[in-house]
Amino acid sequence: MTATAVLTARALLLDMDGTLVNSDASVERVWRRWAVRNGLDGDEVMKVVHGRQGYASMALLLPGRPMEQNHADNARMLAEETADTEGVVEIPGARDFLASLKGLPHALVTSADVALSTARMAAAGLEQPEVRVTAESVGASKPDPEGFLKGAAELGVDPADCVVFEDSGAGIAAGRAAGMRVVGIGPRAGFHRPDVLVRDLTQVRVERAGDGTIRLHITQ
């Protein structure tokens, strides 16, 4: 038996990595090299890095290291990730899902910077939303809610009327802290109790309601 949950929103806020784009192979390659350079266990590093900006992950993994060193290291990492798009593909259903949002209020809210988000979306063959909140746009990384709150403000929608799509613990926590409902995408999300959990975006259908709201029909 399958069941369908229906969520109503006025805007959707979309994470990128793990939500629209499967970039796990690139993330693993770059961060495991970083782990080796810094004498850390790669498996432990990978438990931390998803969803956060690089400097924030480094601060957790190397407590006490000067933050300016983390920011410098993060800039190098972003360049490495931007150059490494091998194996970057869309999350199943992402292209059709984005197409169904044309003309509806939605924004990309990602911990990647402009260069990295542009490279990964292009590698996956996905069109960028017009409204984008990237690493350059915020002062705090997820799980801080700043990015999602900024996305809602740019769309002119109350946070309570937004639905977030996220795959990571940090992202789900950020969405919750922003007062938004969260649709979790993929197995990582399942550990963090989103409001609704799906395997991928093929399980989500978007309906444009006559009153200007968005209805999400989610097959579980």
PDB file of all heavy atoms in Angstrom, residues 194-219:
ATOM      1  N   PRO A 194      12.786  14.362   9.407  1.00  0.00           N
ATOM      2  CA  PRO A 194      12.086  15.453   8.716  1.00  0.00           C
ATOM      3  C   PRO A 194      10.573  15.248   8.836  1.00  0.00           C
ATOM      4  O   PRO A 194      10.106  14.170   9.248  1.00  0.00           O
ATOM      5  CB  PRO A 194      12.556  15.306   7.271  1.00  0.00           C
ATOM      6  CG  PRO A 194      12.869  13.844   7.136  1.00  0.00           C
ATOM      7  CD  PRO A 194      13.433  13.431   8.468  1.00  0.00           C
ATOM      8  N   ASP A 195       9.808  16.237   8.451  1.00  0.00           N
ATOM      9  CA  ASP A 195       8.348  16.110   8.525  1.00  0.00           C
ATOM     10  C   ASP A 195       7.846  15.018   7.594  1.00  0.00           C
ATOM     11  O   ASP A 195       6.910  14.279   7.929  1.00  0.00           O
ATOM     12  CB  ASP A 195       7.696  17.449   8.168  1.00  0.00           C
ATOM     13  CG  ASP A 195       8.013  18.515   9.197  1.00  0.00           C
ATOM     14  OD1 ASP A 195       7.392  18.496  10.268  1.00  0.00           O
ATOM     15  OD2 ASP A 195       8.896  19.343   8.939  1.00  0.00           O
ATOM     16  N   VAL A 196       8.455  14.929   6.422  1.00  0.00           N
ATOM     17  CA  VAL A 196       8.125  13.898   5.431  1.00  0.00           C
ATOM     18  C   VAL A 196       9.442  13.419   4.834  1.00  0.00           C
ATOM     19  O   VAL A 196      10.363  14.221   4.631  1.00  0.00           O
ATOM     20  CB  VAL A 196       7.212  14.455   4.311  1.00  0.00           C
ATOM     21  CG1 VAL A 196       6.835  13.360   3.329  1.00  0.00           C
ATOM     22  CG2 VAL A 196       5.963  15.111   4.886  1.00  0.00           C
ATOM     23  N   LEU A 197       9.536  12.133   4.552  1.00  0.00           N
ATOM     24  CA  LEU A 197      10.758  11.559   3.981  1.00  0.00           C
ATOM     25  C   LEU A 197      10.442  10.861   2.670  1.00  0.00           C
ATOM     26  O   LEU A 197       9.485  10.084   2.588  1.00  0.00           O
ATOM     27  CB  LEU A 197      11.382  10.563   4.955  1.00  0.00           C
ATOM     28  CG  LEU A 197      12.644   9.824   4.478  1.00  0.00           C
ATOM     29  CD1 LEU A 197      13.798  10.796   4.306  1.00  0.00           C
ATOM     30  CD2 LEU A 197      13.020   8.706   5.455  1.00  0.00           C
ATOM     31  N   VAL A 198      11.256  11.147   1.635  1.00  0.00           N
ATOM     32  CA  VAL A 198      11.126  10.456   0.356  1.00  0.00           C
ATOM     33  C   VAL A 198      12.486   9.934  -0.074  1.00  0.00           C
ATOM     34  O   VAL A 198      13.521  10.419   0.373  1.00  0.00           O
ATOM     35  CB  VAL A 198      10.548  11.373  -0.753  1.00  0.00           C
ATOM     36  CG1 VAL A 198       9.134  11.794  -0.411  1.00  0.00           C
ATOM     37  CG2 VAL A 198      11.440  12.589  -0.984  1.00  0.00           C
ATOM     38  N   ARG A 199      12.462   8.962  -0.949  1.00  0.00           N
ATOM     39  CA  ARG A 199      13.707   8.405  -1.503  1.00  0.00           C
ATOM     40  C   ARG A 199      14.363   9.405  -2.443  1.00  0.00           C
ATOM     41  O   ARG A 199      15.569   9.617  -2.421  1.00  0.00           O
ATOM     42  CB  ARG A 199      13.393   7.101  -2.230  1.00  0.00           C
ATOM     43  CG  ARG A 199      14.585   6.424  -2.912  1.00  0.00           C
ATOM     44  CD  ARG A 199      14.120   5.219  -3.722  1.00  0.00           C
ATOM     45  NE  ARG A 199      13.233   5.596  -4.818  1.00  0.00           N
ATOM     46  CZ  ARG A 199      11.909   5.407  -4.825  1.00  0.00           C
ATOM     47  NH1 ARG A 199      11.296   4.855  -3.793  1.00  0.00           N
ATOM     48  NH2 ARG A 199      11.182   5.793  -5.867  1.00  0.00           N
ATOM     49  N   ASP A 200      13.533  10.018  -3.317  1.00  0.00           N
ATOM     50  CA  ASP A 200      14.021  11.003  -4.286  1.00  0.00           C
ATOM     51  C   ASP A 200      12.837  11.822  -4.774  1.00  0.00           C
ATOM     52  O   ASP A 200      11.705  11.666  -4.283  1.00  0.00           O
ATOM     53  CB  ASP A 200      14.771  10.327  -5.445  1.00  0.00           C
ATOM     54  CG  ASP A 200      13.925   9.288  -6.173  1.00  0.00           C
ATOM     55  OD1 ASP A 200      12.737   9.573  -6.451  1.00  0.00           O
ATOM     56  OD2 ASP A 200      14.438   8.191  -6.459  1.00  0.00           O
ATOM     57  N   LEU A 201      13.068  12.687  -5.740  1.00  0.00           N
ATOM     58  CA  LEU A 201      12.040  13.641  -6.157  1.00  0.00           C
ATOM     59  C   LEU A 201      11.008  13.056  -7.105  1.00  0.00           C
ATOM     60  O   LEU A 201      10.039  13.745  -7.449  1.00  0.00           O
ATOM     61  CB  LEU A 201      12.710  14.870  -6.773  1.00  0.00           C
ATOM     62  CG  LEU A 201      13.473  15.719  -5.741  1.00  0.00           C
ATOM     63  CD1 LEU A 201      14.407  16.702  -6.436  1.00  0.00           C
ATOM     64  CD2 LEU A 201      12.512  16.442  -4.818  1.00  0.00           C
ATOM     65  N   THR A 202      11.173  11.809  -7.507  1.00  0.00           N
ATOM     66  CA  THR A 202      10.115  11.175  -8.300  1.00  0.00           C
ATOM     67  C   THR A 202       8.862  10.957  -7.460  1.00  0.00           C
ATOM     68  O   THR A 202       7.790  10.713  -8.015  1.00  0.00           O
ATOM     69  CB  THR A 202      10.573   9.818  -8.884  1.00  0.00           C
ATOM     70  OG1 THR A 202      10.852   8.905  -7.804  1.00  0.00           O
ATOM     71  CG2 THR A 202      11.811   9.978  -9.757  1.00  0.00           C
ATOM     72  N   GLN A 203       8.991  11.049  -6.137  1.00  0.00           N
ATOM     73  CA  GLN A 203       7.852  10.834  -5.245  1.00  0.00           C
ATOM     74  C   GLN A 203       7.089  12.117  -4.920  1.00  0.00           C
ATOM     75  O   GLN A 203       6.163  12.097  -4.112  1.00  0.00           O
ATOM     76  CB  GLN A 203       8.327  10.186  -3.935  1.00  0.00           C
ATOM     77  CG  GLN A 203       8.862   8.774  -4.104  1.00  0.00           C
ATOM     78  CD  GLN A 203       9.449   8.228  -2.815  1.00  0.00           C
ATOM     79  OE1 GLN A 203      10.648   8.030  -2.697  1.00  0.00           O
ATOM     80  NE2 GLN A 203       8.596   7.990  -1.838  1.00  0.00           N
ATOM     81  N   VAL A 204       7.481  13.227  -5.567  1.00  0.00           N
ATOM     82  CA  VAL A 204       6.860  14.521  -5.270  1.00  0.00           C
ATOM     83  C   VAL A 204       6.181  15.066  -6.524  1.00  0.00           C
ATOM     84  O   VAL A 204       6.804  15.169  -7.582  1.00  0.00           O
ATOM     85  CB  VAL A 204       7.903  15.537  -4.765  1.00  0.00           C
ATOM     86  CG1 VAL A 204       7.221  16.862  -4.410  1.00  0.00           C
ATOM     87  CG2 VAL A 204       8.659  14.984  -3.562  1.00  0.00           C
ATOM     88  N   ARG A 205       4.916  15.417  -6.396  1.00  0.00           N
ATOM     89  CA  ARG A 205       4.195  16.060  -7.503  1.00  0.00           C
ATOM     90  C   ARG A 205       3.722  17.436  -7.046  1.00  0.00           C
ATOM     91  O   ARG A 205       3.186  17.589  -5.953  1.00  0.00           O
ATOM     92  CB  ARG A 205       2.997  15.211  -7.941  1.00  0.00           C
ATOM     93  CG  ARG A 205       2.196  15.824  -9.094  1.00  0.00           C
ATOM     94  CD  ARG A 205       1.126  14.866  -9.598  1.00  0.00           C
ATOM     95  NE  ARG A 205       0.097  14.594  -8.615  1.00  0.00           N
ATOM     96  CZ  ARG A 205      -0.973  15.370  -8.395  1.00  0.00           C
ATOM     97  NH1 ARG A 205      -1.134  16.505  -9.085  1.00  0.00           N
ATOM     98  NH2 ARG A 205      -1.877  15.030  -7.496  1.00  0.00           N
ATOM     99  N   VAL A 206       3.939  18.437  -7.895  1.00  0.00           N
ATOM    100  CA  VAL A 206       3.600  19.820  -7.574  1.00  0.00           C
ATOM    101  C   VAL A 206       2.289  20.199  -8.247  1.00  0.00           C
ATOM    102  O   VAL A 206       2.112  19.998  -9.450  1.00  0.00           O
ATOM    103  CB  VAL A 206       4.713  20.775  -8.033  1.00  0.00           C
ATOM    104  CG1 VAL A 206       4.322  22.225  -7.779  1.00  0.00           C
ATOM    105  CG2 VAL A 206       6.024  20.443  -7.320  1.00  0.00           C
ATOM    106  N   GLU A 207       1.371  20.768  -7.468  1.00  0.00           N
ATOM    107  CA  GLU A 207       0.100  21.258  -7.999  1.00  0.00           C
ATOM    108  C   GLU A 207      -0.003  22.754  -7.714  1.00  0.00           C
ATOM    109  O   GLU A 207       0.230  23.202  -6.591  1.00  0.00           O
ATOM    110  CB  GLU A 207      -1.078  20.536  -7.341  1.00  0.00           C
ATOM    111  CG  GLU A 207      -2.439  21.037  -7.802  1.00  0.00           C
ATOM    112  CD  GLU A 207      -3.589  20.486  -6.978  1.00  0.00           C
ATOM    113  OE1 GLU A 207      -3.331  19.724  -6.024  1.00  0.00           O
ATOM    114  OE2 GLU A 207      -4.744  20.838  -7.283  1.00  0.00           O
ATOM    115  N   ARG A 208      -0.345  23.527  -8.738  1.00  0.00           N
ATOM    116  CA  ARG A 208      -0.567  24.967  -8.588  1.00  0.00           C
ATOM    117  C   ARG A 208      -2.024  25.174  -8.208  1.00  0.00           C
ATOM    118  O   ARG A 208      -2.919  24.917  -9.008  1.00  0.00           O
ATOM    119  CB  ARG A 208      -0.276  25.695  -9.890  1.00  0.00           C
ATOM    120  CG  ARG A 208       1.115  25.453 -10.438  1.00  0.00           C
ATOM    121  CD  ARG A 208       1.195  25.841 -11.908  1.00  0.00           C
ATOM    122  NE  ARG A 208       2.484  25.482 -12.460  1.00  0.00           N
ATOM    123  CZ  ARG A 208       3.418  26.355 -12.813  1.00  0.00           C
ATOM    124  NH1 ARG A 208       3.186  27.651 -12.702  1.00  0.00           N
ATOM    125  NH2 ARG A 208       4.573  25.957 -13.288  1.00  0.00           N
ATOM    126  N   ALA A 209      -2.256  25.646  -7.002  1.00  0.00           N
ATOM    127  CA  ALA A 209      -3.630  25.868  -6.544  1.00  0.00           C
ATOM    128  C   ALA A 209      -4.130  27.228  -7.016  1.00  0.00           C
ATOM    129  O   ALA A 209      -3.354  28.159  -7.245  1.00  0.00           O
ATOM    130  CB  ALA A 209      -3.702  25.783  -5.030  1.00  0.00           C
ATOM    131  N   GLY A 210      -5.441  27.352  -7.138  1.00  0.00           N
ATOM    132  CA  GLY A 210      -6.033  28.583  -7.646  1.00  0.00           C
ATOM    133  C   GLY A 210      -5.838  29.777  -6.739  1.00  0.00           C
ATOM    134  O   GLY A 210      -5.897  30.921  -7.189  1.00  0.00           O
ATOM    135  N   ASP A 211      -5.600  29.541  -5.449  1.00  0.00           N
ATOM    136  CA  ASP A 211      -5.433  30.645  -4.505  1.00  0.00           C
ATOM    137  C   ASP A 211      -3.979  31.102  -4.383  1.00  0.00           C
ATOM    138  O   ASP A 211      -3.623  31.864  -3.490  1.00  0.00           O
ATOM    139  CB  ASP A 211      -5.970  30.256  -3.127  1.00  0.00           C
ATOM    140  CG  ASP A 211      -5.240  29.049  -2.530  1.00  0.00           C
ATOM    141  OD1 ASP A 211      -4.354  28.480  -3.211  1.00  0.00           O
ATOM    142  OD2 ASP A 211      -5.576  28.674  -1.392  1.00  0.00           O
ATOM    143  N   GLY A 212      -3.134  30.622  -5.278  1.00  0.00           N
ATOM    144  CA  GLY A 212      -1.734  31.033  -5.275  1.00  0.00           C
ATOM    145  C   GLY A 212      -0.830  30.166  -4.433  1.00  0.00           C
ATOM    146  O   GLY A 212       0.380  30.401  -4.382  1.00  0.00           O
ATOM    147  N   THR A 213      -1.376  29.156  -3.768  1.00  0.00           N
ATOM    148  CA  THR A 213      -0.549  28.263  -2.963  1.00  0.00           C
ATOM    149  C   THR A 213      -0.033  27.099  -3.810  1.00  0.00           C
ATOM    150  O   THR A 213      -0.502  26.850  -4.917  1.00  0.00           O
ATOM    151  CB  THR A 213      -1.330  27.711  -1.754  1.00  0.00           C
ATOM    152  OG1 THR A 213      -2.462  26.977  -2.227  1.00  0.00           O
ATOM    153  CG2 THR A 213      -1.776  28.826  -0.828  1.00  0.00           C
ATOM    154  N   ILE A 214       0.950  26.431  -3.252  1.00  0.00           N
ATOM    155  CA  ILE A 214       1.550  25.258  -3.885  1.00  0.00           C
ATOM    156  C   ILE A 214       1.142  24.042  -3.072  1.00  0.00           C
ATOM    157  O   ILE A 214       1.323  24.013  -1.849  1.00  0.00           O
ATOM    158  CB  ILE A 214       3.089  25.373  -3.892  1.00  0.00           C
ATOM    159  CG1 ILE A 214       3.540  26.657  -4.598  1.00  0.00           C
ATOM    160  CG2 ILE A 214       3.719  24.149  -4.530  1.00  0.00           C
ATOM    161  CD1 ILE A 214       4.998  26.999  -4.366  1.00  0.00           C
ATOM    162  N   ARG A 215       0.616  23.042  -3.741  1.00  0.00           N
ATOM    163  CA  ARG A 215       0.298  21.783  -3.056  1.00  0.00           C
ATOM    164  C   ARG A 215       1.289  20.726  -3.485  1.00  0.00           C
ATOM    165  O   ARG A 215       1.475  20.466  -4.667  1.00  0.00           O
ATOM    166  CB  ARG A 215      -1.139  21.344  -3.374  1.00  0.00           C
ATOM    167  CG  ARG A 215      -2.185  22.249  -2.737  1.00  0.00           C
ATOM    168  CD  ARG A 215      -3.568  21.633  -2.735  1.00  0.00           C
ATOM    169  NE  ARG A 215      -4.541  22.633  -2.287  1.00  0.00           N
ATOM    170  CZ  ARG A 215      -5.577  23.060  -3.003  1.00  0.00           C
ATOM    171  NH1 ARG A 215      -5.782  22.561  -4.210  1.00  0.00           N
ATOM    172  NH2 ARG A 215      -6.387  23.973  -2.512  1.00  0.00           N
ATOM    173  N   LEU A 216       1.909  20.118  -2.506  1.00  0.00           N
ATOM    174  CA  LEU A 216       2.883  19.046  -2.745  1.00  0.00           C
ATOM    175  C   LEU A 216       2.228  17.718  -2.435  1.00  0.00           C
ATOM    176  O   LEU A 216       1.837  17.464  -1.290  1.00  0.00           O
ATOM    177  CB  LEU A 216       4.108  19.245  -1.868  1.00  0.00           C
ATOM    178  CG  LEU A 216       4.879  20.563  -2.050  1.00  0.00           C
ATOM    179  CD1 LEU A 216       5.900  20.723  -0.949  1.00  0.00           C
ATOM    180  CD2 LEU A 216       5.541  20.609  -3.423  1.00  0.00           C
ATOM    181  N   HIS A 217       2.111  16.877  -3.447  1.00  0.00           N
ATOM    182  CA  HIS A 217       1.563  15.533  -3.264  1.00  0.00           C
ATOM    183  C   HIS A 217       2.754  14.578  -3.169  1.00  0.00           C
ATOM    184  O   HIS A 217       3.483  14.392  -4.158  1.00  0.00           O
ATOM    185  CB  HIS A 217       0.636  15.174  -4.423  1.00  0.00           C
ATOM    186  CG  HIS A 217      -0.548  16.089  -4.558  1.00  0.00           C
ATOM    187  ND1 HIS A 217      -1.770  15.788  -4.011  1.00  0.00           N
ATOM    188  CD2 HIS A 217      -0.659  17.306  -5.152  1.00  0.00           C
ATOM    189  CE1 HIS A 217      -2.618  16.778  -4.276  1.00  0.00           C
ATOM    190  NE2 HIS A 217      -1.960  17.700  -4.959  1.00  0.00           N
ATOM    191  N   ILE A 218       2.942  14.003  -1.998  1.00  0.00           N
ATOM    192  CA  ILE A 218       4.147  13.222  -1.714  1.00  0.00           C
ATOM    193  C   ILE A 218       3.761  11.775  -1.478  1.00  0.00           C
ATOM    194  O   ILE A 218       3.059  11.446  -0.516  1.00  0.00           O
ATOM    195  CB  ILE A 218       4.887  13.804  -0.495  1.00  0.00           C
ATOM    196  CG1 ILE A 218       5.278  15.257  -0.777  1.00  0.00           C
ATOM    197  CG2 ILE A 218       6.124  12.960  -0.176  1.00  0.00           C
ATOM    198  CD1 ILE A 218       5.746  16.026   0.427  1.00  0.00           C
ATOM    199  N   THR A 219       4.219  10.905  -2.377  1.00  0.00           N
ATOM    200  CA  THR A 219       3.918   9.484  -2.283  1.00  0.00           C
ATOM    201  C   THR A 219       4.933   8.823  -1.366  1.00  0.00           C
ATOM    202  O   THR A 219       6.143   8.967  -1.557  1.00  0.00           O
ATOM    203  CB  THR A 219       3.963   8.824  -3.660  1.00  0.00           C
ATOM    204  OG1 THR A 219       3.055   9.509  -4.530  1.00  0.00           O
ATOM    205  CG2 THR A 219       3.553   7.365  -3.576  1.00  0.00           C
TER     206      THR A 219
END
